[in-house]
Amino acid sequence: MQLADRDTEATREALFRLVSGYRMTQALYVTAKLGIADRLVGGPKDADTLAREVGVHPDRLFRVLRSLVSHGVLSLDGQQRFGLTPVGEYLRTEVPGSLHAFAIFSGEEPYRAFGEILHTVRTGETAFEHAYGMGHFEYLAQHPEASAVFQRTMAGSIGALGNPLEGFEFHDRHTLVDVGGGHGALLAAVLRDHRELRGILFDVPSAVREAPVFLESSGVRDRCEIRTGSAFEVVPSGGDVYVMSRVLHDWPDEKALVLLRNCRKAVPDGGVLLLREAILAEGSVPPARAQLDLIMMAMTGGRERTEREWGALLGRAGFALQRTWTNRTGPDLLEAIPDRAGSDP
Ligand SMILES: C[S@@+](CC[C@H](N)C(=O)[O-])C[C@H]1O[C@@H](n2cnc3c(N)ncnc32)[C@H](O)[C@@H]1O
């Protein structure tokens, strides 16, 4: 086939950039892992100074940082000193919406797991399990540092943009139970907006290790109870609003059903279950959502779902999907109530 000349260069470049993505994932990983952005807060520094401060090879560090200059993450002045651009600011640790933990996380377990995607496509097996010999959450339970980075990644994408449950009216409700709530970032953001609410944070023990400090620093510790256990066994009772944010997409349907049925047992009459998840369009989907689905496929064996699929799953677990909406904080929201007709066996 003869490609039209005027298209060739730009279209080939577009594909070239996609294929090369792995390079910048690792350049950003190195920069985040070494904590470079935090060291540039006071002003620009050259690579020799930075290398001395973090104990690495000056020339190699220079070349990695220069690659980030070409992508607008760092600046380079006439004295060969690197500085932070507005993009690079998000590599700092203590900024709202920080992507520092995400950059580290992306360069570690997902990077290795994505190297096994061909195996997943050939066999249907989860890439992470093929690479690590165990499930992702089992791995996190055994690796506290990886678990902390994962939970910081999750927490980093909640709260910076406001109340993640914006659009839900709490009215006379008293207690919000966050199932699989990690550090408690969602609870903290909601409870800050609703002084009358109390919260129950529920997750596996390894996930909530930093939660007490996080909730304390968010000013809501006195209104939050932390409980640990597996939602595959039981979901705590005592709430009138339950939320699972980005939990069900980690699991294939049969496992997600177990979680939903345990929620069904816990949600009282008149109670509500909120899901904070992407709702996929029926046809093609935006890049961020398509990639999220790939992450689930590679890391946990889960999947993103369409509204029809969410409705069917909720129905099988004894919930009726009432409404869906989107707010500016990211994933979509789904509101479900116990269905008197019950669930299928
Ligand atoms: C993708 S993270 C989402 C965290 C948080 N809800 C958010 O939106 O940022 C999935 C969460 O499910 C939790 N989880 C995994 N297995 C669980 C289990 N058996 N019981 C309760 N939570 C579990 C993980 O520890 C993790 O905090």
Side-chain angles (χ1 to χ4, degrees), residues 31-47:
T31 306
K33 187 86 175 173
L34 295 176
I36 298 296
D38 282 351
R39 293 178 179 276
L40 295 177
V41 173
K45 290 180 182 169
D46 61 29

Side-chain angles (χ1 to χ4, degrees), residues 137 150-151 154 158 180-182 203-204 207 229-232 245-247 249-251:
F137 291 111
F150 176 72
Q151 290 299 344
M154 292 293 116
I158 288 190
D203 208 314
V204 294
S230 172
F232 285 107
S245 167
R246 304 184 291 186
V247 171
H249 75 162
D250 285 331
W251 305 100

Side-chain angles (χ1 to χ4, degrees), residues 35-67:
I36 298 296
D38 282 351
R39 293 178 179 276
L40 295 177
V41 173
K45 290 180 182 169
D46 61 29
D48 286 357
T49 305
L50 287 165
R52 229 181 359 263
E53 285 180 7
V54 299
V56 298
H57 194 287
D59 169 71
R60 304 302 190 265
L61 180 64
F62 174 80
R63 288 155 69 185
V64 166
L65 299 184
R66 185 176 58 185
S67 77

